């Protein structure tokens, strides 16, 4: 998984029917050491109701289809948790 | 998923039989912050009838086989939505 | 797999229900030649009770769901071994 | 998928039995904009009888096992089409 | 697949039970053009009895579980062939 900050949303009305009802977030991956952006933004389905500005966890690949919302859908990234605390030693 | 701009197409007549009928797009991944190209182009199957110049979403990996068009085919990227609006905060 | 050093933990109380009970580690990938950090940290589920400061192995992708703990869960990285010895020739 | 130029072949006589009969190509990924090499070469199974010097398409990940030749084999990249035309606008 | 040189081994006694009996190699990915290291080392399960110094092929992702040795195990890279000859044109 990667930590990321929600920086926006994407709306797509013309799409594969099977994608209906999904909300797409734009996530900026964040380096846990510096808490700054560390890679180009990715687009992820929202499985937890995350809002812009929140720090979240997302997973990629086939793992992204292991939520009720994304099962069997053409989705390769899902935001599945909102981060409360980060402990770095 | 990643946002990308459709910049071209690829034609391949000699190919695995199971690929018959697919249309291959050349997509240039776009950084949601700058809306500029941010990685080398990828080739994706077209599941939504996207045209050159359009801004789209594509997904990669096994997710790319979760559309009716690409099911069980040797395809690792599919364009499955056309972007209407991008909101960055 | 990659070697990594455990550098912290992440707590997320609002999350997909299916993630309940997992502990999330922050891992800094380590180059086996130099034993120094070589990539941005990743977040992995903990399947072996690893502690901060330990050198571990983690795997990514669908392999990360091949432990009892992570089976069928939206997890794309798992820490599944603690490294005792590294031999480089 | 990615476009690539076939630049060579690899012969491996000691290998997993299940790999018997596969031909391994060395592919140099090509940037569709410049038609020049853009990443380190990868090794792919040949599913279309591609020859050195030809421009091909290959796919990676689990998609690489979706050809008759590579089904259920430990293969993470397959060359599955020979490119005839590239249109860039 | 990628070519790599075996540069060492990793021993991990505390690990997921399902990993028992696997031997872990440290592989340095090699660029087929220059035959020099081209990426940070990866750790792969050994399915062919490769020794330190040998040039091998490894595959990544779910393909790494398509050998008898690695089936259903949390392994994302496997060394499945020893390279005899490389032809570059």
């Amino acid at each position: 998984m990667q930590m990321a900050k929600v920086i926006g949303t994407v709306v797509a009305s013309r799409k594969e029917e099977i994608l209906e009802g999904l909300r797409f977030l734009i996530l900026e991956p964040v380096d846990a050491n510096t808490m700054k952006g560390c890679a180009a933004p990715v687009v992820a389905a929202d499985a937890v109701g995350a809002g812009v500005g929140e720090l979240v966890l997302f997973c990629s690949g086939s793992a992204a289809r292991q939520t009720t919302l994304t099962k069997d859908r053409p989705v390769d990234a899902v935001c599945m948790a909102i981060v409360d605390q980060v402990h770095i030693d």
Side-chain angles (χ1 to χ4, degrees), chain A:
Chain A
M1 282 73 69
Q2 281 188 277
M3 265 192 286
K5 196 176 152 192
V6 183
I7 61 167
T9 55
V10 176
V11 178
S13 48
R14 283 175 293 163
K15 61 193 164 198
E16 262 284 304
E17 256 182 67
I18 202 174
L19 289 169
E20 277 311 326
L22 289 181
R23 182 170 170 249
F24 293 111
L25 303 173
I26 305 177
L27 304 181
E28 183 169 59
V30 163
D31 184 315
N33 276 317
T34 61
M35 296 308 281
K36 292 193 177 157
C38 64
V42 303
V43 177
D46 179 19
V48 285
V52 170
E54 285 191 293
L55 189 66
V56 300
L57 282 181
F58 73 97
C59 67
S60 306
S62 56
R65 298 197 303 279
Q66 305 294 318
T67 73
T68 315
L69 196 74
T70 54
K71 192 167 188 303
D72 298 332
R73 287 175 157 187
V75 161
D76 65 7
V78 70
C79 169
M80 79 308 185
I82 297 173
V83 173
D84 295 315
Q85 296 174 10
V86 179
H87 301 281
I88 294 279
D89 290 289

Short mmCIF file of all heavy atoms in Angstrom, two decimals, chain A residues 6 8-9 23 25 27 46-56 79-82:
data_model
loop_
_atom_site.label_atom_id
_atom_site.label_comp_id
_atom_site.label_asym_id
_atom_site.label_seq_id
_atom_site.Cartn_x
_atom_site.Cartn_y
_atom_site.Cartn_z
N VAL A 6 -5.49 13.05 -0.75
CA VAL A 6 -6.54 13.24 -1.76
C VAL A 6 -6.44 14.68 -2.26
O VAL A 6 -6.58 15.62 -1.47
CB VAL A 6 -7.94 12.98 -1.16
CG1 VAL A 6 -9.00 13.11 -2.26
CG2 VAL A 6 -8.01 11.61 -0.50
N GLY A 8 -8.02 15.71 -5.37
CA GLY A 8 -9.08 16.08 -6.30
C GLY A 8 -9.94 14.91 -6.70
O GLY A 8 -9.85 13.82 -6.10
N THR A 9 -10.80 15.14 -7.67
CA THR A 9 -11.70 14.09 -8.17
C THR A 9 -11.77 14.16 -9.70
O THR A 9 -11.45 15.17 -10.30
CB THR A 9 -13.13 14.26 -7.60
OG1 THR A 9 -13.58 15.59 -7.92
CG2 THR A 9 -13.17 14.06 -6.10
N ARG A 23 -16.83 6.43 -7.42
CA ARG A 23 -16.31 7.78 -7.33
C ARG A 23 -14.80 7.70 -7.49
O ARG A 23 -14.15 6.85 -6.86
CB ARG A 23 -16.67 8.34 -5.95
CG ARG A 23 -16.24 9.77 -5.71
CD ARG A 23 -16.86 10.30 -4.41
NE ARG A 23 -16.28 11.58 -4.05
CZ ARG A 23 -15.48 11.77 -2.99
NH1 ARG A 23 -15.19 10.79 -2.18
NH2 ARG A 23 -14.97 12.96 -2.75
N LEU A 25 -11.10 9.29 -7.13
CA LEU A 25 -10.28 10.27 -6.43
C LEU A 25 -8.93 10.43 -7.14
O LEU A 25 -8.40 9.46 -7.70
CB LEU A 25 -9.99 9.79 -5.00
CG LEU A 25 -11.19 9.49 -4.12
CD1 LEU A 25 -10.72 8.86 -2.82
CD2 LEU A 25 -11.98 10.77 -3.85
N LEU A 27 -5.19 10.94 -6.22
CA LEU A 27 -4.34 10.78 -5.04
C LEU A 27 -2.90 11.14 -5.37
O LEU A 27 -2.37 10.69 -6.40
CB LEU A 27 -4.37 9.33 -4.56
CG LEU A 27 -5.73 8.72 -4.24
CD1 LEU A 27 -5.55 7.27 -3.77
CD2 LEU A 27 -6.46 9.54 -3.18
N ASP A 46 -13.00 5.18 -4.74
CA ASP A 46 -13.13 5.54 -3.32
C ASP A 46 -14.01 4.52 -2.61
O ASP A 46 -15.20 4.42 -2.89
CB ASP A 46 -13.76 6.93 -3.21
CG ASP A 46 -13.95 7.36 -1.76
OD1 ASP A 46 -13.30 6.77 -0.87
OD2 ASP A 46 -14.75 8.27 -1.52
N ALA A 47 -13.44 3.77 -1.66
CA ALA A 47 -14.21 2.76 -0.92
C ALA A 47 -14.51 3.18 0.51
O ALA A 47 -15.12 2.41 1.26
CB ALA A 47 -13.48 1.42 -0.93
N VAL A 48 -14.06 4.38 0.90
CA VAL A 48 -14.25 4.79 2.30
C VAL A 48 -14.83 6.18 2.49
O VAL A 48 -14.88 6.68 3.62
CB VAL A 48 -12.92 4.72 3.09
CG1 VAL A 48 -12.56 3.28 3.40
CG2 VAL A 48 -11.79 5.42 2.35
N GLY A 49 -15.24 6.83 1.41
CA GLY A 49 -15.78 8.18 1.57
C GLY A 49 -14.74 9.21 1.97
O GLY A 49 -14.96 10.05 2.84
N ALA A 50 -13.59 9.15 1.34
CA ALA A 50 -12.50 10.08 1.66
C ALA A 50 -12.76 11.44 1.04
O ALA A 50 -13.34 11.54 -0.05
CB ALA A 50 -11.18 9.51 1.15
N GLY A 51 -12.33 12.49 1.73
CA GLY A 51 -12.52 13.84 1.22
C GLY A 51 -11.21 14.47 0.80
O GLY A 51 -10.13 14.04 1.21
N VAL A 52 -11.31 15.51 -0.02
CA VAL A 52 -10.11 16.22 -0.47
C VAL A 52 -9.34 16.74 0.74
O VAL A 52 -9.93 17.28 1.67
CB VAL A 52 -10.48 17.36 -1.44
CG1 VAL A 52 -9.28 18.24 -1.73
CG2 VAL A 52 -11.03 16.76 -2.74
N GLY A 53 -8.03 16.54 0.74
CA GLY A 53 -7.18 17.00 1.83
C GLY A 53 -6.84 15.90 2.83
O GLY A 53 -5.89 16.03 3.59
N GLU A 54 -7.60 14.81 2.81
CA GLU A 54 -7.35 13.74 3.79
C GLU A 54 -6.15 12.87 3.37
O GLU A 54 -5.86 12.71 2.19
CB GLU A 54 -8.59 12.87 3.96
CG GLU A 54 -9.66 13.58 4.80
CD GLU A 54 -10.80 12.67 5.24
OE1 GLU A 54 -11.55 12.20 4.37
OE2 GLU A 54 -10.92 12.45 6.45
N LEU A 55 -5.49 12.32 4.38
CA LEU A 55 -4.39 11.39 4.17
C LEU A 55 -4.99 9.99 4.18
O LEU A 55 -5.69 9.61 5.12
CB LEU A 55 -3.36 11.54 5.30
CG LEU A 55 -2.05 10.78 5.13
CD1 LEU A 55 -1.24 11.32 3.94
CD2 LEU A 55 -1.21 10.87 6.41
N VAL A 56 -4.70 9.22 3.14
CA VAL A 56 -5.34 7.90 3.00
C VAL A 56 -4.31 6.82 2.68
O VAL A 56 -3.14 7.10 2.42
CB VAL A 56 -6.41 7.94 1.87
CG1 VAL A 56 -7.49 8.96 2.18
CG2 VAL A 56 -5.75 8.23 0.52
N CYS A 79 -8.88 3.38 -2.79
CA CYS A 79 -8.61 4.02 -1.50
C CYS A 79 -9.45 3.29 -0.47
O CYS A 79 -10.68 3.32 -0.53
CB CYS A 79 -8.99 5.50 -1.59
SG CYS A 79 -9.00 6.31 0.00
N MET A 80 -8.80 2.56 0.46
CA MET A 80 -9.55 1.69 1.36
C MET A 80 -9.37 1.99 2.84
O MET A 80 -9.89 1.27 3.69
CB MET A 80 -9.28 0.22 1.03
CG MET A 80 -8.01 -0.38 1.52
SD MET A 80 -6.47 0.54 1.11
CE MET A 80 -5.27 -0.62 1.75
N ALA A 81 -8.69 3.09 3.17
CA ALA A 81 -8.53 3.47 4.58
C ALA A 81 -8.13 4.94 4.68
O ALA A 81 -7.47 5.48 3.79
CB ALA A 81 -7.47 2.60 5.24
N ILE A 82 -8.58 5.58 5.77
CA ILE A 82 -8.19 6.96 6.06
C ILE A 82 -7.21 6.92 7.22
O ILE A 82 -7.48 6.27 8.25
CB ILE A 82 -9.43 7.82 6.37
CG1 ILE A 82 -10.33 7.87 5.12
CG2 ILE A 82 -9.03 9.23 6.79
CD1 ILE A 82 -11.67 8.53 5.33
#
